[in-house]
Amino acid sequence: MASIKTLALALAALIAMASTAALAHADKDHSKKAGPVKKEQMAWGIAGDAKAAKRTVELTMTDNMRFTPDRIDVKQGETVRIVLKNQGQMLHEFVIGTKKELDEHAALMVKFPTMEHSEPYMAHVRAGKTGEIVWTFNRAGEFDFACLIAGHYQAGMVGKVRVATAAAATAATAAGKVDGHSDHKHRGRTD
Ligand SMILES: [Cu+2]
């Protein structure tokens, strides 16, 4: 009898400890600033330097599983500071990727809801908090961003990033000018 009670108490203590540890872990992961940023070229760009960010895009995230705005337009090569305001009561996140990558990642999150993930192209923002990432969109194309928390992605918490090609951007800004060389100059410069 006594041993069962002792066992139950020990078990309760263990559970309490485990959840405290989990909480501390979550706190640490979600509140700390990202350490040394891993600069890995992804299909949708590469981690950017805050100093290089000339534009800030602000998005809000809400518990009705929406981003506002749900579309970001950038020029290829542009470094953008993306500020995420969580106006909801629950944790939300912002993850950039291709539709395929996000689909796969979202499926994993459903299987393993407590899975830790942290990359320079994602931010986890707790209720009422603001997070940010700095990202360089050095690849042209249409990409997606999403909240991959189990259920949120499936509820449509997604958006689009359109990265206009450097040539298109140059053409747009050069409209009216007679400088036909800038186009070639930009095309030759790759990373
Ligand atoms: Cu969410």
Side-chain angles (χ1 to χ4, degrees):
M1 243 0 211
S3 66
I4 288 171
K5 193 178 171 190
T6 308
L7 196 69
L9 276 172
L11 194 66
L14 201 67
I15 289 167
M17 265 168 59
S19 53
T20 305
L23 201 66
H25 196 181
D27 269 354
K28 189 187 76 192
D29 277 349
H30 293 142
S31 58
K32 80 166 181 201
K33 271 275 176 201
V37 176
K38 185 172 66 181
K39 287 201 175 188
E40 188 188 346
Q41 179 65 56
M42 307 303 287
W44 52 93
I46 191 164
D49 290 316
K51 280 175 295 193
K54 294 192 173 62
R55 187 155 71 103
T56 297
V57 172
E58 203 175 283
L59 275 83
T60 58
M61 307 189 281
T62 49
D63 292 347
N64 63 354
M65 307 304 167
R66 289 296 178 269
F67 289 101
T68 309
D70 61 359
R71 181 180 173 122
I72 303 174
D73 280 286
V74 301
K75 282 180 249 165
Q76 186 177 6
E78 197 177 5
T79 297
V80 183
R81 193 164 73 99
I82 302 172
V83 175
L84 295 318
K85 292 193 165 185
N86 184 350
Q87 293 181 340
Q89 305 291 312
M90 55 181 88
L91 174 75
H92 289 292
E93 60 182 24
F94 173 85
V95 184
I96 313 173
T98 59
K99 174 84 164 64
K100 182 174 176 284
E101 293 249 0
L102 293 177
D103 278 346
E104 287 169 7
H105 198 153
L108 264 179
M109 292 289 283
V110 169
K111 261 188 224 162
F112 310 102
T114 57
M115 185 177 86
E116 298 272 349
H117 59 174
S118 178
E119 296 290 345
Y121 51 85
M122 52 176 79
H124 310 274
V125 190
R126 287 191 289 167
K129 302 290 184 196
T130 298
E132 71 169 64
I133 66 166
V134 176
W135 193 251
T136 300
F137 293 93
N138 62 353
R139 293 281 186 271
E142 297 253 3
F143 306 106
D144 285 30
F145 60 84
C147 174
L148 299 181
I149 291 173
H152 297 206
Y153 186 66
Q154 292 73 15
M157 196 160 181
V158 297
K160 292 265 177 212
V161 190
R162 199 189 61 179
V163 185
T165 62
T170 302
T173 43
K177 288 186 210 161
V178 231
D179 180 14
H181 298 289
S182 56
D183 199 38
H184 299 283
K185 204 159 62 196
H186 282 267
R187 200 163 285 162
R189 190 199 61 198
T190 48
D191 38 277

mmCIF file of all heavy atoms in Angstrom, residues 90-122:
data_model
loop_
_atom_site.group_PDB
_atom_site.id
_atom_site.type_symbol
_atom_site.label_atom_id
_atom_site.label_comp_id
_atom_site.label_asym_id
_atom_site.label_seq_id
_atom_site.Cartn_x
_atom_site.Cartn_y
_atom_site.Cartn_z
ATOM 1 N N MET A 90 -2.990 32.656 -28.703
ATOM 2 C CA MET A 90 -2.183 31.440 -28.791
ATOM 3 C C MET A 90 -0.899 31.690 -29.581
ATOM 4 O O MET A 90 -0.761 32.710 -30.240
ATOM 5 C CB MET A 90 -2.995 30.299 -29.416
ATOM 6 C CG MET A 90 -3.595 30.616 -30.766
ATOM 7 S SD MET A 90 -4.576 29.246 -31.441
ATOM 8 C CE MET A 90 -6.193 29.586 -30.729
ATOM 9 N N LEU A 91 -0.006 30.731 -29.456
ATOM 10 C CA LEU A 91 1.268 30.815 -30.175
ATOM 11 C C LEU A 91 1.019 30.701 -31.685
ATOM 12 O O LEU A 91 0.224 29.880 -32.114
ATOM 13 C CB LEU A 91 2.172 29.663 -29.716
ATOM 14 C CG LEU A 91 3.502 29.483 -30.447
ATOM 15 C CD1 LEU A 91 4.498 30.549 -30.019
ATOM 16 C CD2 LEU A 91 4.082 28.103 -30.156
ATOM 17 N N HIS A 92 1.682 31.573 -32.430
ATOM 18 C CA HIS A 92 1.625 31.449 -33.879
ATOM 19 C C HIS A 92 3.053 31.510 -34.386
ATOM 20 O O HIS A 92 3.954 31.950 -33.680
ATOM 21 C CB HIS A 92 0.802 32.563 -34.510
ATOM 22 C CG HIS A 92 -0.662 32.441 -34.256
ATOM 23 N ND1 HIS A 92 -1.436 31.433 -34.783
ATOM 24 C CD2 HIS A 92 -1.500 33.191 -33.492
ATOM 25 C CE1 HIS A 92 -2.692 31.581 -34.370
ATOM 26 N NE2 HIS A 92 -2.760 32.637 -33.580
ATOM 27 N N GLU A 93 3.242 31.113 -35.606
ATOM 28 C CA GLU A 93 4.574 31.200 -36.184
ATOM 29 C C GLU A 93 4.494 31.630 -37.634
ATOM 30 O O GLU A 93 3.435 31.605 -38.254
ATOM 31 C CB GLU A 93 5.301 29.860 -36.039
ATOM 32 C CG GLU A 93 4.583 28.728 -36.732
ATOM 33 C CD GLU A 93 5.287 27.396 -36.550
ATOM 34 O OE1 GLU A 93 6.027 27.217 -35.585
ATOM 35 O OE2 GLU A 93 5.082 26.540 -37.412
ATOM 36 N N PHE A 94 5.645 32.035 -38.115
ATOM 37 C CA PHE A 94 5.760 32.507 -39.486
ATOM 38 C C PHE A 94 6.919 31.742 -40.094
ATOM 39 O O PHE A 94 8.036 31.793 -39.594
ATOM 40 C CB PHE A 94 6.051 34.008 -39.472
ATOM 41 C CG PHE A 94 6.354 34.601 -40.818
ATOM 42 C CD1 PHE A 94 5.332 35.019 -41.657
ATOM 43 C CD2 PHE A 94 7.671 34.775 -41.234
ATOM 44 C CE1 PHE A 94 5.617 35.586 -42.900
ATOM 45 C CE2 PHE A 94 7.961 35.338 -42.473
ATOM 46 C CZ PHE A 94 6.924 35.745 -43.304
ATOM 47 N N VAL A 95 6.639 30.994 -41.133
ATOM 48 C CA VAL A 95 7.668 30.177 -41.781
ATOM 49 C C VAL A 95 7.577 30.405 -43.288
ATOM 50 O O VAL A 95 6.503 30.295 -43.863
ATOM 51 C CB VAL A 95 7.457 28.670 -41.484
ATOM 52 C CG1 VAL A 95 8.593 27.851 -42.087
ATOM 53 C CG2 VAL A 95 7.329 28.407 -39.990
ATOM 54 N N ILE A 96 8.710 30.725 -43.904
ATOM 55 C CA ILE A 96 8.713 30.920 -45.354
ATOM 56 C C ILE A 96 9.196 29.631 -46.008
ATOM 57 O O ILE A 96 10.049 28.930 -45.459
ATOM 58 C CB ILE A 96 9.664 32.053 -45.796
ATOM 59 C CG1 ILE A 96 9.484 33.293 -44.934
ATOM 60 C CG2 ILE A 96 9.418 32.429 -47.267
ATOM 61 C CD1 ILE A 96 10.514 34.384 -45.218
ATOM 62 N N GLY A 97 8.690 29.331 -47.181
ATOM 63 C CA GLY A 97 9.154 28.150 -47.885
ATOM 64 C C GLY A 97 8.461 28.001 -49.217
ATOM 65 O O GLY A 97 7.708 28.879 -49.637
ATOM 66 N N THR A 98 8.735 26.892 -49.859
ATOM 67 C CA THR A 98 7.979 26.579 -51.067
ATOM 68 C C THR A 98 6.729 25.851 -50.582
ATOM 69 O O THR A 98 6.702 25.338 -49.463
ATOM 70 C CB THR A 98 8.766 25.626 -51.985
ATOM 71 O OG1 THR A 98 9.040 24.433 -51.250
ATOM 72 C CG2 THR A 98 10.081 26.242 -52.449
ATOM 73 N N LYS A 99 5.721 25.818 -51.416
ATOM 74 C CA LYS A 99 4.486 25.131 -51.041
ATOM 75 C C LYS A 99 4.791 23.685 -50.640
ATOM 76 O O LYS A 99 4.283 23.186 -49.636
ATOM 77 C CB LYS A 99 3.527 25.178 -52.246
ATOM 78 C CG LYS A 99 2.256 24.391 -52.101
ATOM 79 C CD LYS A 99 1.203 25.213 -51.352
ATOM 80 C CE LYS A 99 -0.202 24.633 -51.516
ATOM 81 N NZ LYS A 99 -0.347 23.301 -50.931
ATOM 82 N N LYS A 100 5.658 23.040 -51.421
ATOM 83 C CA LYS A 100 5.994 21.646 -51.186
ATOM 84 C C LYS A 100 6.649 21.466 -49.811
ATOM 85 O O LYS A 100 6.265 20.598 -49.034
ATOM 86 C CB LYS A 100 6.934 21.173 -52.307
ATOM 87 C CG LYS A 100 7.337 19.724 -52.238
ATOM 88 C CD LYS A 100 8.137 19.328 -53.479
ATOM 89 C CE LYS A 100 8.641 17.908 -53.409
ATOM 90 N NZ LYS A 100 9.799 17.758 -52.500
ATOM 91 N N GLU A 101 7.633 22.303 -49.531
ATOM 92 C CA GLU A 101 8.337 22.200 -48.251
ATOM 93 C C GLU A 101 7.390 22.444 -47.085
ATOM 94 O O GLU A 101 7.453 21.765 -46.066
ATOM 95 C CB GLU A 101 9.475 23.236 -48.180
ATOM 96 C CG GLU A 101 10.590 22.969 -49.145
ATOM 97 C CD GLU A 101 11.868 22.534 -48.448
ATOM 98 O OE1 GLU A 101 11.876 22.445 -47.207
ATOM 99 O OE2 GLU A 101 12.849 22.279 -49.160
ATOM 100 N N LEU A 102 6.534 23.438 -47.235
ATOM 101 C CA LEU A 102 5.616 23.767 -46.152
ATOM 102 C C LEU A 102 4.605 22.655 -45.937
ATOM 103 O O LEU A 102 4.259 22.339 -44.798
ATOM 104 C CB LEU A 102 4.930 25.117 -46.422
ATOM 105 C CG LEU A 102 5.854 26.343 -46.390
ATOM 106 C CD1 LEU A 102 5.089 27.610 -46.744
ATOM 107 C CD2 LEU A 102 6.520 26.502 -45.029
ATOM 108 N N ASP A 103 4.149 22.057 -47.036
ATOM 109 C CA ASP A 103 3.215 20.929 -46.922
ATOM 110 C C ASP A 103 3.843 19.801 -46.116
ATOM 111 O O ASP A 103 3.224 19.240 -45.212
ATOM 112 C CB ASP A 103 2.863 20.387 -48.318
ATOM 113 C CG ASP A 103 1.759 21.200 -48.996
ATOM 114 O OD1 ASP A 103 1.105 21.993 -48.291
ATOM 115 O OD2 ASP A 103 1.570 21.042 -50.212
ATOM 116 N N GLU A 104 5.091 19.487 -46.459
ATOM 117 C CA GLU A 104 5.791 18.383 -45.793
ATOM 118 C C GLU A 104 6.038 18.707 -44.326
ATOM 119 O O GLU A 104 5.823 17.886 -43.437
ATOM 120 C CB GLU A 104 7.130 18.114 -46.493
ATOM 121 C CG GLU A 104 6.969 17.444 -47.841
ATOM 122 C CD GLU A 104 8.256 17.422 -48.667
ATOM 123 O OE1 GLU A 104 9.312 17.811 -48.137
ATOM 124 O OE2 GLU A 104 8.183 17.022 -49.837
ATOM 125 N N HIS A 105 6.479 19.926 -44.100
ATOM 126 C CA HIS A 105 6.775 20.379 -42.740
ATOM 127 C C HIS A 105 5.496 20.382 -41.886
ATOM 128 O O HIS A 105 5.496 19.964 -40.730
ATOM 129 C CB HIS A 105 7.381 21.779 -42.821
ATOM 130 C CG HIS A 105 8.110 22.192 -41.601
ATOM 131 N ND1 HIS A 105 9.137 23.108 -41.619
ATOM 132 C CD2 HIS A 105 7.963 21.834 -40.305
ATOM 133 C CE1 HIS A 105 9.578 23.286 -40.400
ATOM 134 N NE2 HIS A 105 8.892 22.534 -39.578
ATOM 135 N N ALA A 106 4.403 20.830 -42.496
ATOM 136 C CA ALA A 106 3.130 20.887 -41.780
ATOM 137 C C ALA A 106 2.657 19.482 -41.394
ATOM 138 O O ALA A 106 2.134 19.268 -40.303
ATOM 139 C CB ALA A 106 2.075 21.589 -42.635
ATOM 140 N N ALA A 107 2.887 18.535 -42.285
ATOM 141 C CA ALA A 107 2.485 17.153 -42.008
ATOM 142 C C ALA A 107 3.276 16.610 -40.823
ATOM 143 O O ALA A 107 2.734 15.898 -39.966
ATOM 144 C CB ALA A 107 2.712 16.291 -43.247
ATOM 145 N N LEU A 108 4.550 16.978 -40.757
ATOM 146 C CA LEU A 108 5.396 16.556 -39.632
ATOM 147 C C LEU A 108 4.904 17.161 -38.326
ATOM 148 O O LEU A 108 4.911 16.513 -37.285
ATOM 149 C CB LEU A 108 6.837 17.022 -39.867
ATOM 150 C CG LEU A 108 7.811 16.054 -40.489
ATOM 151 C CD1 LEU A 108 9.164 16.728 -40.665
ATOM 152 C CD2 LEU A 108 7.976 14.803 -39.607
ATOM 153 N N MET A 109 4.494 18.422 -38.408
ATOM 154 C CA MET A 109 4.017 19.116 -37.211
ATOM 155 C C MET A 109 2.741 18.488 -36.660
ATOM 156 O O MET A 109 2.473 18.543 -35.471
ATOM 157 C CB MET A 109 3.763 20.597 -37.520
ATOM 158 C CG MET A 109 5.005 21.385 -37.807
ATOM 159 S SD MET A 109 6.049 21.661 -36.367
ATOM 160 C CE MET A 109 5.124 22.967 -35.539
ATOM 161 N N VAL A 110 1.948 17.904 -37.559
ATOM 162 C CA VAL A 110 0.724 17.237 -37.120
ATOM 163 C C VAL A 110 1.093 15.948 -36.391
ATOM 164 O O VAL A 110 0.530 15.615 -35.348
ATOM 165 C CB VAL A 110 -0.217 16.955 -38.317
ATOM 166 C CG1 VAL A 110 -1.360 16.041 -37.919
ATOM 167 C CG2 VAL A 110 -0.753 18.271 -38.876
ATOM 168 N N LYS A 111 2.085 15.244 -36.925
ATOM 169 C CA LYS A 111 2.544 13.988 -36.305
ATOM 170 C C LYS A 111 3.258 14.246 -34.994
ATOM 171 O O LYS A 111 3.107 13.506 -34.026
ATOM 172 C CB LYS A 111 3.499 13.268 -37.261
ATOM 173 C CG LYS A 111 2.844 12.165 -38.064
ATOM 174 C CD LYS A 111 3.904 11.365 -38.832
ATOM 175 C CE LYS A 111 3.431 11.112 -40.244
ATOM 176 N NZ LYS A 111 4.528 10.744 -41.142
ATOM 177 N N PHE A 112 4.066 15.299 -34.970
ATOM 178 C CA PHE A 112 4.859 15.625 -33.783
ATOM 179 C C PHE A 112 4.619 17.085 -33.391
ATOM 180 O O PHE A 112 5.456 17.949 -33.656
ATOM 181 C CB PHE A 112 6.351 15.414 -34.069
ATOM 182 C CG PHE A 112 6.676 14.079 -34.676
ATOM 183 C CD1 PHE A 112 6.939 13.959 -36.036
ATOM 184 C CD2 PHE A 112 6.726 12.931 -33.889
ATOM 185 C CE1 PHE A 112 7.237 12.728 -36.609
ATOM 186 C CE2 PHE A 112 7.022 11.692 -34.453
ATOM 187 C CZ PHE A 112 7.277 11.589 -35.807
ATOM 188 N N PRO A 113 3.480 17.338 -32.739
ATOM 189 C CA PRO A 113 3.092 18.727 -32.448
ATOM 190 C C PRO A 113 4.090 19.488 -31.568
ATOM 191 O O PRO A 113 4.118 20.711 -31.593
ATOM 192 C CB PRO A 113 1.752 18.572 -31.719
ATOM 193 C CG PRO A 113 1.278 17.212 -32.059
ATOM 194 C CD PRO A 113 2.496 16.369 -32.258
ATOM 195 N N THR A 114 4.882 18.765 -30.779
ATOM 196 C CA THR A 114 5.801 19.479 -29.887
ATOM 197 C C THR A 114 7.201 19.598 -30.493
ATOM 198 O O THR A 114 8.127 20.055 -29.846
ATOM 199 C CB THR A 114 5.920 18.755 -28.531
ATOM 200 O OG1 THR A 114 6.352 17.415 -28.775
ATOM 201 C CG2 THR A 114 4.592 18.747 -27.797
ATOM 202 N N MET A 115 7.308 19.172 -31.751
ATOM 203 C CA MET A 115 8.590 19.228 -32.440
ATOM 204 C C MET A 115 9.182 20.640 -32.395
ATOM 205 O O MET A 115 8.518 21.611 -32.707
ATOM 206 C CB MET A 115 8.362 18.828 -33.897
ATOM 207 C CG MET A 115 9.613 18.723 -34.726
ATOM 208 S SD MET A 115 9.210 18.155 -36.404
ATOM 209 C CE MET A 115 8.825 19.688 -37.221
ATOM 210 N N GLU A 116 10.426 20.717 -32.004
ATOM 211 C CA GLU A 116 11.107 22.006 -31.954
ATOM 212 C C GLU A 116 11.647 22.299 -33.345
ATOM 213 O O GLU A 116 12.246 21.432 -33.972
ATOM 214 C CB GLU A 116 12.308 21.931 -31.001
ATOM 215 C CG GLU A 116 11.947 21.618 -29.574
ATOM 216 C CD GLU A 116 11.647 22.878 -28.785
ATOM 217 O OE1 GLU A 116 11.921 23.971 -29.290
ATOM 218 O OE2 GLU A 116 11.114 22.743 -27.675
ATOM 219 N N HIS A 117 11.419 23.491 -33.816
ATOM 220 C CA HIS A 117 12.075 23.839 -35.073
ATOM 221 C C HIS A 117 12.439 25.310 -35.020
ATOM 222 O O HIS A 117 11.702 26.132 -34.527
ATOM 223 C CB HIS A 117 11.243 23.465 -36.303
ATOM 224 C CG HIS A 117 9.900 24.103 -36.367
ATOM 225 N ND1 HIS A 117 9.074 23.992 -37.435
ATOM 226 C CD2 HIS A 117 9.240 24.880 -35.483
ATOM 227 C CE1 HIS A 117 7.976 24.670 -37.206
ATOM 228 N NE2 HIS A 117 8.037 25.223 -36.031
ATOM 229 N N SER A 118 13.607 25.585 -35.489
ATOM 230 C CA SER A 118 14.082 26.960 -35.475
ATOM 231 C C SER A 118 15.067 27.167 -36.611
ATOM 232 O O SER A 118 16.074 26.484 -36.707
ATOM 233 C CB SER A 118 14.758 27.241 -34.135
ATOM 234 O OG SER A 118 15.271 28.555 -34.135
ATOM 235 N N GLU A 119 14.737 28.067 -37.495
ATOM 236 C CA GLU A 119 15.574 28.377 -38.656
ATOM 237 C C GLU A 119 15.467 29.876 -38.881
ATOM 238 O O GLU A 119 14.504 30.501 -38.443
ATOM 239 C CB GLU A 119 15.040 27.651 -39.911
ATOM 240 C CG GLU A 119 15.090 26.126 -39.853
ATOM 241 C CD GLU A 119 16.494 25.545 -39.914
ATOM 242 O OE1 GLU A 119 17.433 26.292 -40.281
ATOM 243 O OE2 GLU A 119 16.658 24.366 -39.587
ATOM 244 N N PRO A 120 16.438 30.460 -39.585
ATOM 245 C CA PRO A 120 16.371 31.915 -39.797
ATOM 246 C C PRO A 120 15.177 32.380 -40.625
ATOM 247 O O PRO A 120 14.886 33.563 -40.654
ATOM 248 C CB PRO A 120 17.700 32.244 -40.497
ATOM 249 C CG PRO A 120 18.292 30.951 -40.895
ATOM 250 C CD PRO A 120 17.690 29.877 -40.052
ATOM 251 N N TYR A 121 14.503 31.446 -41.291
ATOM 252 C CA TYR A 121 13.336 31.850 -42.084
ATOM 253 C C TYR A 121 12.035 31.570 -41.351
ATOM 254 O O TYR A 121 10.975 31.470 -41.935
ATOM 255 C CB TYR A 121 13.342 31.169 -43.459
ATOM 256 C CG TYR A 121 13.525 29.667 -43.407
ATOM 257 C CD1 TYR A 121 12.436 28.833 -43.215
ATOM 258 C CD2 TYR A 121 14.798 29.105 -43.527
ATOM 259 C CE1 TYR A 121 12.604 27.458 -43.147
ATOM 260 C CE2 TYR A 121 14.976 27.734 -43.471
ATOM 261 C CZ TYR A 121 13.881 26.917 -43.277
ATOM 262 O OH TYR A 121 14.042 25.563 -43.210
ATOM 263 N N MET A 122 12.129 31.435 -40.017
ATOM 264 C CA MET A 122 10.900 31.259 -39.247
ATOM 265 C C MET A 122 10.961 32.015 -37.926
ATOM 266 O O MET A 122 12.034 32.278 -37.395
ATOM 267 C CB MET A 122 10.609 29.774 -39.018
ATOM 268 C CG MET A 122 11.728 28.960 -38.428
ATOM 269 S SD MET A 122 11.223 27.230 -38.104
ATOM 270 C CE MET A 122 11.330 26.492 -39.710
#
